[in-house]
Amino acid sequence: MARTRLSPAPDEDLARVLDSGPFAAALRATILDRRLTLHELQQRLSDAGIRVSATTLSYWARNRTQPERADSLRAVTALEDILALPGGTLTRLVPQPRPRGPGCRAPATAAYRQLWEPVETLRHLVAEVGAPDHDRLHLLSGHDRLTVDGSGVRRRMTFRSVLRAQAKLVDRLLVFLHEDDPHRPPPRIDVLRGGRLGRVRRDGESGILVAEVRLDRLLARGETAVVENRFEFGEGGPRENQWERRFGQPMKHYLIEADFDPAAPPVRCYRTTRDSIRLPVRDVAEVGIDSAGHAHALLLDAPSGIHGLRWEWD
């Protein structure tokens, strides 16, 4: 029996497609790089107790169909191990299920379900702002800076992002914020670099806010942009002890800084992580606070999930 092999696509660099997709190109390029046939992959999946035909694998790699059912998504996870890829490399690139039937819409993305509660509130706010472009942008690098006053209240946050377009004619991104105290007045939002503020929607019960940033220029596929936003909070509010950034996709480089009042800094600070909003915060390592009240943590090749800082006042 002839062994089914894929033909390479032009201009298909493995590192690039594994970083930004799309899923079909990433799967195809990895199979070619590992010099495996589709029948060999099918056999290895079968050995792992997963039944997927070589034809199905071919359709996935050629973007004729996509994995959607639970057993198909389990096969994608197994393929990462068979192809010697880091966990999540292919699964994060799997497109959302295609709508079926008149008037059908795709459900909330896996990232929404993993990172936000209540997810239906977030989806409603996103719909009010408009169809999101954040799935068409890949966040390469992020830099967050948080300012906390002497009473322990968050006063300012700046977010600097380096983004790369994954589609043609990308002209905006969405920024999300979740306030633990929904009764606190919403922050003032300024776009300091790379665009201008568009529509803003906020849910007063949950404290979830969605803001649209219109980019200064249209991005072609592969082009990059630097965008910096600032949130200014009024006086008052609860004394806080943590800040988290929610990643819907892995990030190559993430720097988080916290500036405390040097006259009244926390006694300890930790870098934290958790895979889902439904899981408890887990301390990863203690972070030093210098004499100026500054603490920071640097993450390289940060996986999707929730990462941040937690501090103790006494």
Side-chain angles (χ1 to χ4, degrees):
M1 179 185 295
R3 296 296 186 181
T4 305
R5 291 189 180 274
L6 297 171
S7 299
D11 190 32
E12 188 168 82
D13 177 76
L14 179 61
R16 176 178 59 81
V17 295
L18 287 178
D19 181 57
S20 58
F23 168 78
L27 177 61
R28 181 173 61 245
T30 307
I31 294 171
L32 291 168
D33 182 76
R34 303 305 192 253
R35 301 179 183 274
L36 293 171
T37 69
L38 295 177
H39 283 86
E40 288 170 336
L41 280 182
Q42 177 198 23
Q43 183 59 52
R44 295 193 188 187
L45 286 169
S46 179
D47 293 342
I50 300 172
R51 298 183 62 182
V52 176
S53 70
T55 299
T56 296
L57 293 172
S58 176
Y59 282 1
W60 290 352
R62 290 184 168 90
N63 200 31
R64 292 184 61 179
T65 61
Q66 64 189 43
E68 294 184 359
R69 296 179 303 175
D71 54 349
S72 296
L73 296 174
R74 190 162 65 96
V76 174
T77 301
L79 283 171
E80 292 171 341
D81 185 53
I82 293 169
L83 296 169
L85 293 171
T89 301
L90 293 176
T91 52
R92 70 179 177 84
L93 297 174
V94 174
Q96 292 304 301
R98 292 167 177 165
R100 291 179 171 86
C104 286
R105 297 185 61 188
T109 66
Y112 283 178
R113 292 192 298 270
Q114 177 187 12
L115 304 178
W116 298 91
E117 285 186 342
V119 68
E120 290 302 323
T121 297
L122 180 69
R123 292 183 63 198
H124 177 72
L125 295 175
V126 168
E128 286 192 357
V129 170
D133 269 344
H134 64 280
D135 286 339
R136 305 175 70 199
L137 285 165
H138 182 61
L139 184 57
L140 299 175
S141 174
H143 179 188
D144 296 350
R145 189 159 191 168
L146 170 70
T147 300
V148 179
D149 67 18
S151 59
V153 176
R154 183 194 331 135
R155 297 302 303 276
R156 180 182 306 108
M157 294 189 300
T158 59
F159 310 89
R160 182 181 300 119
S161 303
V162 181
L163 307 151
R164 181 169 62 201
Q166 299 190 116
K168 298 177 181 178
L169 304 180
V170 177
D171 66 348
R172 63 183 177 146
L173 73 144
L174 299 184
V175 178
F176 304 115
L177 176 70
H178 191 185
E179 285 278 57
D180 291 332
D181 180 7
H183 303 295
R184 189 180 187 185
R188 171 180 169 176
I189 307 173
D190 295 298
V191 181
L192 306 178
R193 181 180 181 186
R196 59 183 174 81
L197 186 64
R199 290 163 289 189
V200 178
R201 297 293 184 271
R202 182 175 184 266
D203 178 67
E205 293 186 6
S206 66
I208 296 177
L209 178 149
V210 177
E212 174 191 42
V213 176
R214 308 291 302 193
L215 301 179
D216 282 341
R217 59 188 177 87
L218 285 173
L219 299 181
R221 185 190 298 272
E223 286 191 315
T224 58
V226 178
V227 179
E228 185 172 359
N229 307 302
R230 180 177 63 203
F231 287 13
E232 294 272 3
F233 299 87
E235 295 184 2
R239 195 183 200 198
E240 299 180 5
N241 64 358
Q242 71 174 10
W243 164 251
E244 296 178 308
R245 166 74 83 97
R246 308 178 190 199
F247 297 176
Q249 53 188 234
M251 193 186 307
K252 286 184 174 295
H253 173 279
Y254 174 58
L255 174 63
I256 177 172
E257 298 182 86
D259 291 312
F260 303 101
D261 185 338
V267 294
R268 278 175 294 274
C269 186
Y270 301 89
R271 180 168 72 84
T272 66
T273 188
R274 50 178 167 161
D275 295 330
S276 166
I277 194 66
R278 291 176 289 277
L279 296 175
V281 175
R282 178 168 58 89
D283 294 339
V284 176
E286 187 165 358
V287 175
I289 304 174
D290 65 20
S291 59
H294 175 266
H296 77 275
L298 174 65
L299 284 71
L300 301 176
D301 296 319
S304 59
I306 306 174
H307 308 279
L309 295 176
R310 181 185 73 82
W311 50 91
E312 298 174 357
W313 292 107
D314 49 40

